[in-house]
Amino acid sequence: MWTAPRTGLCSTAFVQTGGQPGLTGATTADVWIRSATPADHDGITAIYNHYVGTSNVTFDITPFSKAERAPWFGQFGTAGSHRLFVAVRDGTVLGWASSTRLRPKPAYDRS
């Protein structure tokens, strides 16, 4: 089962919860939050595509391939305001959160 995503003006989080193999009884001590790496892209894309296929929250109607998501992944750095984080347990991406630019104009950079 997947929880409903939480969204803000310039941030999004998608989280996978119980009902998946190996997630029952998980504690926060079992989960690590860290900056996403290219190795996490498949897991992030799978979570996102779940919402594409089961809800209208993404406003997308067609699932993405990893290659199609590459430009989106490329906008994040390892420092600064616009970041991509993952929640991981035993090498499996359980959820992710991101912060992106609200608008392309420089005055919005910190929004």
Side-chain angles (χ1 to χ4, degrees):
M1 175 165 129
W2 302 84
T3 64
R6 298 179 182 162
T7 60
L9 288 176
C10 58
S11 65
T12 304
F14 289 89
V15 180
Q16 174 183 1
T17 61
Q20 298 293 318
L23 293 179
T24 305
T27 66
T28 55
D30 298 325
V31 179
W32 292 91
I33 308 294
R34 60 169 172 73
S35 292
T37 69
D40 302 316
H41 293 183
D42 286 336
I44 294 167
T45 301
I47 292 169
Y48 189 84
N49 283 341
H50 169 80
Y51 286 103
V52 171
T54 62
S55 73
N56 61 3
V57 72
T58 67
F59 293 92
D60 287 310
I61 58 173
T62 305
F64 287 86
S65 70
K66 182 178 170 183
E68 290 170 324
R69 289 293 279 177
W72 182 83
F73 287 118
Q75 71 182 311
F76 300 105
T78 56
S81 300
H82 306 123
R83 307 276 304 275
L84 178 60
F85 293 97
V86 289
V88 179
R89 190 176 83 202
D90 297 329
T92 301
V93 176
L94 304 177
W96 59 271
S98 67
S99 59
T100 57
R101 293 179 75 187
L102 180 61
R103 303 242 191 270
K105 296 183 177 186
Y108 287 104
D109 281 350
R110 303 203 39 96
S111 295

XYZ file of all heavy atoms in Angstrom:
844
model
N 0.850 -1.171 0.000
C 0.000 0.000 0.000
C 0.892 1.229 0.000
O 1.943 1.239 0.612
C -0.859 -0.037 1.253
C -1.709 1.154 1.455
S -2.928 0.749 2.705
C -2.697 2.120 3.765
N 0.481 2.285 -0.665
C 1.234 3.528 -0.743
C 0.427 4.604 -0.052
O -0.783 4.665 -0.177
C 1.452 3.928 -2.195
C 2.168 2.887 -2.981
C 1.626 1.810 -3.591
C 3.553 2.817 -3.217
N 2.584 1.074 -4.213
C 3.782 1.670 -4.008
C 4.643 3.614 -2.873
C 5.039 1.314 -4.435
C 5.886 3.243 -3.310
C 6.078 2.104 -4.073
N 1.082 5.480 0.680
C 0.352 6.574 1.305
C 0.107 7.667 0.284
O 0.787 7.749 -0.728
C 1.144 7.182 2.479
O 2.335 7.754 1.977
C 1.445 6.150 3.531
N -0.849 8.513 0.575
C -1.099 9.661 -0.299
C 0.108 10.578 -0.234
O 0.684 10.782 0.836
C -2.351 10.398 0.149
N 0.512 11.131 -1.351
C 1.671 12.020 -1.344
C 1.354 13.323 -0.640
O 0.215 13.756 -0.598
C 1.944 12.262 -2.823
C 0.642 12.019 -3.476
C -0.057 10.972 -2.661
N 2.379 13.911 -0.092
C 2.258 15.222 0.530
C 2.931 16.215 -0.387
O 4.069 16.026 -0.777
C 2.924 15.215 1.891
C 2.253 14.244 2.819
C 2.911 14.216 4.151
N 2.209 13.204 4.930
C 2.668 12.654 6.001
N 3.838 12.992 6.451
N 1.972 11.763 6.642
N 2.225 17.262 -0.719
C 2.803 18.231 -1.635
C 2.738 19.621 -1.043
O 1.865 19.930 -0.239
C 2.087 18.232 -2.996
O 0.713 18.556 -2.774
C 2.200 16.893 -3.685
N 3.672 20.457 -1.419
C 3.698 21.855 -1.032
C 3.917 22.681 -2.275
O 3.877 22.168 -3.381
N 4.154 23.947 -2.116
C 4.350 24.803 -3.271
C 5.510 24.343 -4.128
O 5.446 24.407 -5.337
C 4.574 26.244 -2.824
C 3.357 26.969 -2.286
C 3.745 28.350 -1.796
C 2.290 27.076 -3.367
N 6.578 23.910 -3.495
C 7.742 23.521 -4.289
C 8.402 22.260 -3.746
O 9.584 22.064 -3.903
C 8.740 24.677 -4.364
S 9.304 25.225 -2.755
N 7.615 21.419 -3.075
C 8.183 20.164 -2.594
C 7.164 19.051 -2.765
O 5.973 19.280 -2.783
C 8.588 20.276 -1.122
O 7.447 20.470 -0.310
N 7.665 17.853 -2.915
C 6.803 16.689 -3.072
C 7.422 15.529 -2.323
O 8.631 15.379 -2.315
C 6.674 16.304 -4.564
O 6.207 17.436 -5.280
C 5.710 15.155 -4.757
N 6.587 14.716 -1.720
C 7.077 13.510 -1.058
C 6.134 12.364 -1.360
O 4.919 12.509 -1.272
C 7.177 13.726 0.450
N 6.674 11.227 -1.735
C 5.907 10.014 -1.953
C 6.498 8.950 -1.046
O 7.707 8.768 -1.014
C 6.013 9.544 -3.404
C 5.281 10.428 -4.365
C 5.907 11.505 -4.946
C 3.965 10.169 -4.682
C 5.236 12.307 -5.849
C 3.289 10.970 -5.574
C 3.915 12.046 -6.162
N 5.644 8.245 -0.315
C 6.136 7.282 0.659
C 5.403 5.961 0.513
O 4.181 5.924 0.400
C 5.942 7.813 2.097
C 6.452 6.824 3.110
C 6.621 9.160 2.266
N 6.139 4.886 0.541
C 5.604 3.532 0.505
C 5.463 3.062 1.943
O 6.369 3.245 2.757
C 6.600 2.667 -0.273
C 6.302 1.211 -0.315
C 7.401 0.471 -1.046
O 8.365 1.049 -1.493
N 7.250 -0.821 -1.145
N 4.334 2.444 2.294
C 4.146 1.945 3.654
C 3.753 0.479 3.631
O 3.784 -0.155 2.592
C 3.077 2.761 4.402
O 1.845 2.639 3.694
C 3.473 4.210 4.527
N 3.324 -0.053 4.789
C 3.012 -1.462 4.964
C 2.269 -2.102 3.808
O 1.716 -1.442 2.948
N 2.228 -3.415 3.795
C 1.597 -4.141 2.714
C 2.602 -4.589 1.656
O 2.268 -5.345 0.761
N 3.826 -4.127 1.747
C 4.881 -4.542 0.835
C 5.774 -5.534 1.583
O 5.968 -5.417 2.784
C 5.726 -3.339 0.389
C 4.932 -2.310 -0.373
C 4.461 -2.839 -1.707
O 5.202 -3.511 -2.395
N 3.229 -2.555 -2.062
N 6.327 -6.508 0.890
C 7.193 -7.482 1.559
C 8.314 -6.812 2.333
O 8.963 -5.894 1.840
C 7.758 -8.303 0.393
C 6.780 -8.115 -0.714
C 6.199 -6.738 -0.523
N 8.507 -7.227 3.558
C 9.620 -6.732 4.355
C 9.377 -5.408 5.041
O 10.236 -4.926 5.760
N 8.199 -4.806 4.865
C 7.955 -3.514 5.500
C 7.189 -3.630 6.807
O 7.152 -2.697 7.588
C 7.180 -2.583 4.549
C 7.943 -2.151 3.319
C 7.062 -1.267 2.452
C 9.212 -1.417 3.686
N 6.571 -4.752 7.066
C 5.789 -4.922 8.274
C 6.686 -4.804 9.496
O 7.748 -5.402 9.569
C 5.101 -6.298 8.270
O 4.353 -6.403 7.072
C 4.197 -6.461 9.473
N 6.274 -4.004 10.459
C 7.016 -3.851 11.692
C 8.256 -2.992 11.599
O 9.070 -2.987 12.506
N 8.416 -2.243 10.525
C 9.598 -1.393 10.385
C 9.568 -0.280 11.413
O 8.516 0.224 11.774
C 9.658 -0.791 8.984
N 10.719 0.065 11.907
C 10.839 1.206 12.811
C 11.683 2.266 12.130
O 12.356 1.998 11.138
C 11.522 0.798 14.131
O 12.875 0.443 13.844
C 10.809 -0.356 14.803
N 11.647 3.466 12.675
C 12.451 4.522 12.082
C 13.934 4.192 12.160
O 14.711 4.675 11.351
C 12.182 5.885 12.746
O 12.399 5.760 14.156
C 10.774 6.353 12.458
N 14.336 3.349 13.097
C 15.736 2.952 13.195
C 16.161 2.104 12.000
O 17.337 2.011 11.689
C 15.985 2.184 14.492
N 15.190 1.497 11.329
C 15.475 0.666 10.160
C 15.639 1.482 8.890
O 16.065 0.958 7.871
C 14.328 -0.324 9.908
C 14.117 -1.299 11.043
O 15.111 -1.701 11.669
O 12.950 -1.641 11.300
N 15.245 2.744 8.908
C 15.166 3.561 7.705
C 16.234 4.653 7.737
O 16.422 5.318 8.749
C 13.767 4.197 7.570
C 13.683 5.080 6.337
C 12.693 3.117 7.523
N 16.904 4.842 6.593
C 17.909 5.888 6.455
C 17.402 6.933 5.476
O 16.889 6.593 4.408
C 19.222 5.307 5.916
C 19.884 4.408 6.909
C 19.717 3.059 7.034
C 20.783 4.800 7.930
N 20.472 2.587 8.066
C 21.142 3.644 8.647
C 21.329 6.025 8.318
C 22.012 3.664 9.727
C 22.205 6.044 9.389
C 22.529 4.878 10.075
N 17.549 8.198 5.824
C 17.220 9.309 4.935
C 18.540 9.870 4.433
O 19.425 10.192 5.231
C 16.438 10.427 5.663
C 15.221 9.861 6.387
C 16.084 11.541 4.688
C 14.158 9.294 5.503
N 18.677 9.988 3.117
C 19.925 10.486 2.546
C 19.644 11.108 1.188
O 18.555 10.948 0.633
C 20.948 9.365 2.416
C 20.471 8.225 1.534
C 21.586 7.263 1.217
N 21.153 6.076 0.539
C 20.761 6.005 -0.730
N 20.732 7.091 -1.476
N 20.388 4.860 -1.262
N 20.629 11.802 0.653
C 20.519 12.343 -0.700
C 20.414 11.185 -1.683
O 21.083 10.165 -1.525
C 21.745 13.190 -1.051
O 21.770 14.363 -0.287
N 19.578 11.357 -2.680
C 19.413 10.325 -3.697
C 20.661 10.250 -4.576
O 21.352 11.244 -4.785
C 18.189 10.616 -4.556
N 20.911 9.062 -5.074
C 22.009 8.821 -6.018
C 21.407 8.213 -7.286
O 20.247 7.769 -7.278
C 23.042 7.848 -5.425
O 22.437 6.550 -5.328
C 23.542 8.309 -4.066
N 22.177 8.144 -8.363
C 21.655 7.497 -9.579
C 21.155 6.068 -9.341
O 20.225 5.623 -10.007
C 22.848 7.530 -10.525
C 23.590 8.768 -10.123
C 23.480 8.785 -8.607
N 21.713 5.378 -8.375
C 21.262 4.016 -8.067
C 19.828 3.985 -7.539
O 19.173 2.938 -7.581
C 22.207 3.371 -7.056
N 19.312 5.110 -7.079
C 17.952 5.190 -6.535
C 16.902 5.520 -7.589
O 15.701 5.467 -7.314
C 17.884 6.262 -5.439
C 18.841 6.000 -4.311
O 18.933 4.834 -3.854
O 19.517 6.963 -3.880
N 17.325 5.881 -8.778
C 16.395 6.371 -9.793
C 15.313 5.355 -10.161
O 14.158 5.729 -10.358
C 17.137 6.850 -11.022
C 17.969 8.066 -10.755
N 18.678 8.690 -11.747
C 18.223 8.776 -9.626
C 19.329 9.724 -11.232
N 19.079 9.787 -9.953
N 15.657 4.082 -10.245
C 14.644 3.070 -10.567
C 13.561 3.016 -9.491
O 12.374 2.967 -9.805
C 15.270 1.683 -10.729
C 16.047 1.528 -12.021
O 15.768 2.262 -12.996
O 16.939 0.656 -12.059
N 13.970 3.029 -8.232
C 13.003 2.980 -7.134
C 12.119 4.214 -7.085
O 10.911 4.115 -6.866
N 12.712 5.382 -7.282
C 11.946 6.633 -7.287
C 10.947 6.631 -8.444
O 9.774 6.993 -8.273
C 12.890 7.845 -7.365
C 13.724 7.946 -6.090
C 12.110 9.128 -7.615
C 14.888 8.915 -6.195
N 11.401 6.199 -9.604
C 10.527 6.158 -10.780
C 9.383 5.173 -10.567
O 8.236 5.455 -10.930
C 11.334 5.807 -12.044
O 12.350 6.799 -12.225
C 10.457 5.760 -13.282
N 9.649 4.047 -9.950
C 8.595 3.059 -9.684
C 7.537 3.631 -8.750
O 6.333 3.444 -8.967
C 9.200 1.782 -9.098
N 7.966 4.322 -7.709
C 7.013 4.930 -6.777
C 6.181 5.984 -7.502
O 4.954 6.028 -7.385
C 7.744 5.527 -5.560
C 8.353 4.406 -4.715
C 6.792 6.388 -4.726
C 9.315 4.874 -3.641
N 6.844 6.844 -8.263
C 6.124 7.890 -8.992
C 5.119 7.273 -9.970
O 3.952 7.676 -10.027
C 7.103 8.794 -9.738
C 6.429 10.011 -10.324
C 6.220 11.139 -9.544
C 5.983 10.020 -11.643
C 5.580 12.257 -10.064
C 5.348 11.134 -12.171
C 5.151 12.248 -11.377
O 4.516 13.347 -11.885
N 5.554 6.267 -10.713
C 4.673 5.637 -11.693
C 3.478 4.952 -11.045
O 2.409 4.855 -11.662
C 5.452 4.655 -12.561
C 6.278 5.357 -13.612
O 6.043 6.511 -13.954
N 7.277 4.660 -14.127
N 3.644 4.487 -9.822
C 2.502 3.925 -9.099
C 1.389 4.971 -9.003
O 0.220 4.666 -9.265
C 2.917 3.458 -7.703
C 1.751 3.129 -6.836
N 1.082 1.927 -6.937
C 1.099 3.852 -5.901
C 0.078 1.925 -6.080
N 0.073 3.075 -5.442
N 1.751 6.189 -8.650
C 0.749 7.253 -8.529
C 0.211 7.695 -9.884
O -0.949 8.091 -9.983
C 1.323 8.443 -7.767
C 1.441 8.147 -6.292
C 2.659 7.845 -5.718
C 0.315 8.136 -5.481
C 2.760 7.559 -4.374
C 0.403 7.847 -4.138
C 1.619 7.554 -3.588
O 1.710 7.263 -2.256
N 1.022 7.624 -10.916
C 0.530 7.945 -12.263
C -0.597 6.982 -12.624
O -1.631 7.396 -13.164
C 1.662 7.872 -13.314
C 1.107 7.986 -14.729
C 2.701 8.962 -13.067
N -0.421 5.718 -12.317
C -1.390 4.701 -12.697
C -2.584 4.546 -11.781
O -3.589 3.948 -12.178
N -2.491 5.063 -10.553
C -3.566 4.808 -9.585
C -4.251 6.061 -9.050
O -5.167 5.936 -8.238
C -3.029 3.998 -8.382
O -2.018 4.768 -7.724
C -2.478 2.652 -8.829
N -3.798 7.229 -9.464
C -4.409 8.455 -8.936
C -4.236 9.584 -9.947
O -3.607 9.414 -10.981
C -3.749 8.845 -7.611
O -2.454 9.368 -7.838
N -4.775 10.729 -9.593
C -4.592 11.909 -10.438
C -3.655 12.928 -9.796
O -3.504 14.032 -10.297
C -5.934 12.552 -10.781
C -6.685 13.010 -9.548
O -6.197 12.915 -8.429
N -7.887 13.496 -9.753
N -3.007 12.561 -8.723
C -2.191 13.499 -7.960
C -0.978 14.017 -8.731
O -0.531 15.139 -8.503
C -1.783 12.887 -6.601
C -0.746 11.795 -6.786
C -1.281 13.955 -5.653
N -0.457 13.256 -9.670
C 0.731 13.698 -10.419
C 0.377 14.560 -11.626
O 1.236 15.240 -12.175
C 1.536 12.489 -10.941
O 0.755 11.813 -11.926
C 1.930 11.542 -9.821
N -0.869 14.483 -12.071
C -1.335 15.139 -13.293
C -0.651 14.578 -14.537
O -0.727 15.166 -15.602
C -1.196 16.668 -13.223
C -2.119 17.274 -12.213
C -1.704 17.478 -10.909
C -3.408 17.610 -12.569
C -2.564 18.027 -9.968
C -4.278 18.163 -11.633
C -3.851 18.366 -10.331
N 0.003 13.435 -14.413
C 0.548 12.713 -15.558
C -0.402 11.565 -15.868
O -1.090 11.057 -14.972
C 1.945 12.158 -15.255
C 2.993 13.251 -15.218
O 3.028 14.051 -16.173
O 3.770 13.303 -14.248
N -0.448 11.140 -17.121
C -1.344 10.056 -17.490
C -0.610 8.843 -18.054
O -1.209 7.803 -18.253
C -2.430 10.534 -18.485
C -1.805 11.126 -19.742
C -3.355 11.544 -17.818
C -2.803 11.471 -20.830
N 0.677 8.980 -18.297
C 1.489 7.902 -18.839
C 2.701 7.684 -17.942
O 3.402 8.647 -17.623
C 1.973 8.253 -20.267
O 0.838 8.575 -21.067
C 2.718 7.090 -20.883
N 2.961 6.444 -17.527
C 4.158 6.175 -16.720
C 5.430 6.577 -17.457
O 5.483 6.596 -18.685
C 4.111 4.666 -16.496
C 2.679 4.299 -16.688
C 2.156 5.245 -17.741
N 6.467 6.880 -16.684
C 7.755 7.310 -17.227
C 8.760 6.177 -17.208
O 8.779 5.363 -16.285
C 8.334 8.447 -16.369
C 7.633 9.750 -16.537
C 6.509 10.048 -15.786
C 8.096 10.693 -17.439
C 5.852 11.254 -15.934
C 7.452 11.907 -17.598
C 6.323 12.186 -16.845
N 9.642 6.158 -18.196
C 10.805 5.275 -18.148
C 11.897 6.004 -17.363
O 11.822 7.217 -17.160
C 11.307 4.954 -19.561
O 11.883 6.115 -20.144
N 12.906 5.274 -16.973
C 14.032 5.894 -16.277
C 14.676 6.964 -17.157
O 15.024 8.052 -16.682
C 15.043 4.822 -15.881
C 16.223 5.341 -15.102
C 17.139 4.188 -14.731
C 18.435 4.677 -14.161
N 19.353 3.582 -13.854
N 14.815 6.683 -18.444
C 15.424 7.653 -19.369
C 14.583 8.923 -19.488
O 15.119 10.024 -19.564
C 15.621 7.018 -20.739
N 13.270 8.765 -19.496
C 12.393 9.942 -19.581
C 12.473 10.807 -18.332
O 12.243 12.009 -18.392
C 10.945 9.502 -19.809
C 10.700 8.911 -21.179
C 9.343 8.258 -21.295
O 8.852 7.651 -20.307
O 8.763 8.334 -22.392
N 12.785 10.200 -17.194
C 12.892 10.949 -15.938
C 14.274 11.561 -15.740
O 14.475 12.363 -14.833
C 12.569 10.043 -14.747
C 11.123 9.649 -14.631
C 10.212 10.786 -14.302
N 10.232 11.061 -12.884
C 9.570 12.048 -12.327
N 8.830 12.843 -13.047
N 9.645 12.260 -11.033
N 15.253 11.217 -16.570
C 16.633 11.698 -16.402
C 16.730 13.219 -16.288
O 17.440 13.721 -15.403
C 17.530 11.171 -17.510
N 16.051 14.004 -17.128
C 16.140 15.462 -16.976
C 15.621 15.937 -15.612
O 16.179 16.859 -15.012
C 15.271 16.006 -18.110
C 15.236 14.918 -19.121
C 15.286 13.634 -18.324
N 14.570 15.289 -15.125
C 14.037 15.649 -13.805
C 15.074 15.355 -12.724
O 15.334 16.192 -11.864
C 12.733 14.885 -13.547
C 12.095 15.222 -12.241
C 11.286 16.292 -11.971
C 12.217 14.494 -11.021
N 10.896 16.261 -10.651
C 11.458 15.163 -10.043
C 12.896 13.334 -10.656
C 11.348 14.723 -8.733
C 12.786 12.892 -9.356
C 12.017 13.589 -8.410
N 15.688 14.178 -12.770
C 16.722 13.831 -11.794
C 17.899 14.802 -11.883
O 18.506 15.141 -10.870
C 17.233 12.398 -12.001
C 16.265 11.337 -11.585
C 15.772 10.431 -12.510
C 15.843 11.227 -10.270
C 14.882 9.439 -12.134
C 14.944 10.244 -9.881
C 14.468 9.348 -10.823
N 18.221 15.254 -13.086
C 19.371 16.122 -13.299
C 19.277 17.500 -12.676
O 20.289 18.188 -12.543
N 18.094 17.922 -12.267
C 17.938 19.255 -11.684
C 18.377 19.347 -10.224
O 18.479 20.430 -9.672
C 16.490 19.723 -11.816
C 15.522 18.978 -10.901
C 14.098 19.425 -11.072
O 13.814 20.616 -11.068
N 13.197 18.470 -11.245
N 18.665 18.220 -9.601
C 18.984 18.218 -8.176
C 20.480 18.168 -7.935
O 21.211 17.484 -8.632
C 18.315 17.020 -7.482
C 16.826 17.047 -7.599
C 16.184 16.181 -8.469
C 16.069 17.947 -6.885
C 14.811 16.212 -8.607
C 14.698 17.993 -7.009
C 14.062 17.126 -7.873
N 20.907 18.885 -6.906
C 22.301 18.865 -6.496
C 22.439 18.161 -5.158
O 21.463 17.730 -4.557
N 23.664 18.060 -4.680
C 23.914 17.450 -3.370
C 23.970 18.493 -2.274
O 24.162 18.164 -1.109
C 25.224 16.638 -3.390
O 26.281 17.506 -3.796
C 25.120 15.464 -4.355
N 23.818 19.757 -2.647
C 23.777 20.856 -1.680
C 22.850 21.921 -2.250
O 22.493 21.892 -3.421
C 25.179 21.425 -1.467
N 22.462 22.847 -1.410
C 21.617 23.934 -1.878
C 20.148 23.703 -1.600
O 19.761 22.777 -0.890
N 19.333 24.549 -2.181
C 17.892 24.547 -1.905
C 17.130 23.443 -2.610
O 16.091 23.009 -2.143
C 17.285 25.884 -2.323
O 17.881 26.937 -1.614
N 17.593 23.005 -3.754
C 16.832 22.055 -4.558
C 17.488 20.683 -4.485
O 18.500 20.420 -5.124
C 16.716 22.568 -5.996
C 16.155 23.942 -6.023
N 16.818 24.996 -6.599
C 15.026 24.461 -5.502
C 16.101 26.103 -6.434
N 15.014 25.798 -5.772
N 16.856 19.830 -3.684
C 17.457 18.541 -3.348
C 16.475 17.408 -3.574
O 15.263 17.606 -3.602
C 17.873 18.528 -1.872
C 18.762 19.681 -1.430
C 20.220 19.469 -1.716
N 20.775 18.266 -1.158
C 21.229 18.154 0.077
N 21.192 19.173 0.904
N 21.728 17.013 0.494
N 17.011 16.217 -3.673
C 16.227 14.994 -3.785
C 16.727 14.034 -2.710
O 17.915 13.714 -2.673
C 16.385 14.382 -5.182
C 15.676 13.062 -5.463
C 14.168 13.189 -5.282
C 16.005 12.587 -6.879
N 15.827 13.623 -1.838
C 16.164 12.715 -0.742
C 15.391 11.414 -0.893
O 14.294 11.394 -1.464
C 15.808 13.333 0.613
C 16.628 14.532 0.965
C 16.152 15.808 0.725
C 17.885 14.391 1.529
C 16.906 16.924 1.040
C 18.653 15.497 1.848
C 18.163 16.770 1.604
N 15.941 10.355 -0.366
C 15.256 9.066 -0.332
C 15.250 8.530 1.091
O 16.151 8.811 1.886
C 15.912 8.017 -1.266
C 15.654 8.353 -2.712
C 17.388 7.857 -1.000
N 14.212 7.754 1.379
C 14.151 6.949 2.597
C 14.453 5.524 2.139
O 13.787 5.007 1.237
C 12.777 7.037 3.231
N 15.471 4.908 2.736
C 15.961 3.604 2.273
C 16.051 2.649 3.455
O 16.473 3.035 4.551
C 17.354 3.749 1.619
C 17.888 2.410 1.164
C 17.302 4.724 0.468
N 15.670 1.412 3.198
C 15.910 0.344 4.168
C 16.415 -0.866 3.433
O 15.804 -1.302 2.452
C 14.655 -0.007 4.948
C 15.021 -0.954 6.108
C 13.888 -1.292 6.983
N 13.189 -2.374 6.317
C 11.934 -2.685 6.544
N 11.226 -1.991 7.378
N 11.387 -3.692 5.911
N 17.533 -1.375 3.870
C 18.142 -2.566 3.257
C 18.290 -2.414 1.749
O 18.043 -3.350 0.991
C 17.328 -3.819 3.583
C 17.303 -4.126 5.073
O 18.297 -3.799 5.763
O 16.299 -4.679 5.550
N 18.661 -1.217 1.303
C 18.901 -0.971 -0.116
C 17.659 -0.728 -0.955
O 17.761 -0.531 -2.158
N 16.480 -0.735 -0.341
C 15.230 -0.520 -1.061
C 14.715 0.889 -0.797
O 14.615 1.308 0.359
C 14.154 -1.538 -0.615
O 14.637 -2.855 -0.874
C 12.844 -1.318 -1.337
N 14.389 1.610 -1.867
C 13.817 2.949 -1.719
C 12.375 2.799 -1.254
O 11.544 2.209 -1.943
C 13.879 3.737 -3.053
C 13.183 5.080 -2.905
C 15.314 3.919 -3.499
N 12.086 3.329 -0.061
C 10.739 3.271 0.496
C 9.931 4.515 0.161
O 8.708 4.478 0.148
C 10.807 3.144 2.024
C 11.600 1.981 2.580
C 11.624 2.051 4.097
C 11.017 0.669 2.101
N 10.625 5.629 -0.076
C 9.955 6.887 -0.373
C 10.975 7.922 -0.773
O 12.177 7.682 -0.688
N 10.476 9.058 -1.229
C 11.372 10.129 -1.643
C 10.704 11.470 -1.417
O 9.483 11.566 -1.306
C 11.815 9.973 -3.090
C 10.702 9.967 -4.099
C 9.997 8.876 -4.541
C 10.162 11.092 -4.790
N 9.069 9.258 -5.464
C 9.139 10.617 -5.638
C 10.439 12.455 -4.786
C 8.397 11.451 -6.460
C 9.704 13.284 -5.604
C 8.699 12.786 -6.434
N 11.537 12.496 -1.329
C 11.053 13.872 -1.180
C 11.968 14.775 -1.986
O 13.170 14.536 -2.074
C 11.065 14.291 0.292
N 11.383 15.799 -2.577
C 12.188 16.715 -3.382
C 11.733 18.146 -3.157
O 10.609 18.398 -2.745
C 12.068 16.374 -4.870
O 10.747 16.629 -5.336
N 12.645 19.054 -3.446
C 12.308 20.476 -3.483
C 12.807 20.998 -4.825
O 13.929 20.723 -5.231
C 12.950 21.234 -2.326
O 14.354 21.115 -2.361
N 11.933 21.694 -5.528
C 12.262 22.194 -6.856
C 11.935 23.676 -6.938
O 11.259 24.231 -6.075
C 11.463 21.448 -7.940
O 10.069 21.587 -7.663
C 11.826 19.976 -7.990
N 12.405 24.299 -7.997
C 12.123 25.715 -8.216
C 10.626 25.917 -8.405
O 9.970 25.182 -9.127
C 12.859 26.224 -9.449
C 14.368 26.223 -9.259
C 15.071 26.712 -10.480
N 14.902 28.176 -10.552
C 15.284 28.910 -11.570
N 15.856 28.343 -12.611
N 15.122 30.200 -11.557
N 10.105 26.948 -7.767
C 8.702 27.284 -7.911
C 8.425 27.894 -9.271
O 7.464 27.546 -9.946
C 8.284 28.253 -6.800
C 6.842 28.721 -6.798
C 5.889 27.549 -6.630
C 6.626 29.754 -5.704
N 9.308 28.800 -9.687
C 9.205 29.479 -10.993
C 10.628 29.670 -11.519
O 11.575 29.727 -10.754
C 8.539 30.833 -10.846
C 7.177 30.796 -10.215
C 6.123 31.299 -11.166
N 4.854 31.508 -10.485
C 3.927 30.609 -10.354
N 4.118 29.406 -10.809
N 2.790 30.866 -9.750
N 10.794 29.843 -12.830
C 12.137 29.965 -13.387
C 12.793 31.338 -13.149
O 13.980 31.477 -13.400
C 11.921 29.720 -14.881
C 10.504 30.035 -15.127
C 9.767 29.702 -13.861
N 12.071 32.322 -12.645
C 12.651 33.643 -12.435
C 13.529 33.648 -11.192
O 13.216 33.024 -10.179
C 11.554 34.682 -12.313
C 10.765 34.810 -13.617
C 9.737 35.889 -13.533
C 9.034 36.006 -14.884
N 8.127 37.106 -14.943
N 14.684 34.355 -11.240
C 15.648 34.340 -10.141
C 15.070 34.740 -8.779
O 15.498 34.236 -7.756
C 16.723 35.330 -10.582
C 16.621 35.372 -12.059
C 15.166 35.134 -12.384
N 14.101 35.635 -8.755
C 13.530 36.067 -7.476
C 12.839 34.937 -6.733
O 12.660 35.002 -5.523
C 12.557 37.216 -7.695
N 12.475 33.869 -7.440
C 11.818 32.739 -6.815
C 12.816 31.661 -6.338
O 12.386 30.643 -5.793
C 10.844 32.077 -7.798
C 9.607 32.874 -8.057
C 9.446 33.580 -9.258
C 8.570 32.934 -7.133
C 8.300 34.307 -9.517
C 7.415 33.664 -7.390
C 7.283 34.338 -8.574
O 6.143 35.051 -8.832
N 14.092 31.849 -6.543
C 15.069 30.799 -6.241
C 14.975 30.267 -4.818
O 15.270 29.112 -4.570
C 16.493 31.269 -6.524
C 16.845 31.212 -7.998
O 16.058 30.625 -8.775
O 17.889 31.755 -8.380
N 14.627 31.082 -3.874
C 14.572 30.621 -2.484
C 13.163 30.228 -2.069
O 12.921 29.911 -0.916
C 15.149 31.674 -1.579
C 16.573 31.986 -2.019
C 17.497 32.573 -1.032
N 17.467 32.133 0.308
C 18.280 31.203 0.831
N 19.148 30.611 0.074
N 18.212 30.904 2.109
N 12.224 30.227 -3.007
C 10.833 29.830 -2.705
C 10.677 28.330 -2.807
O 11.321 27.676 -3.555
C 9.877 30.495 -3.681
O 9.886 31.873 -3.518
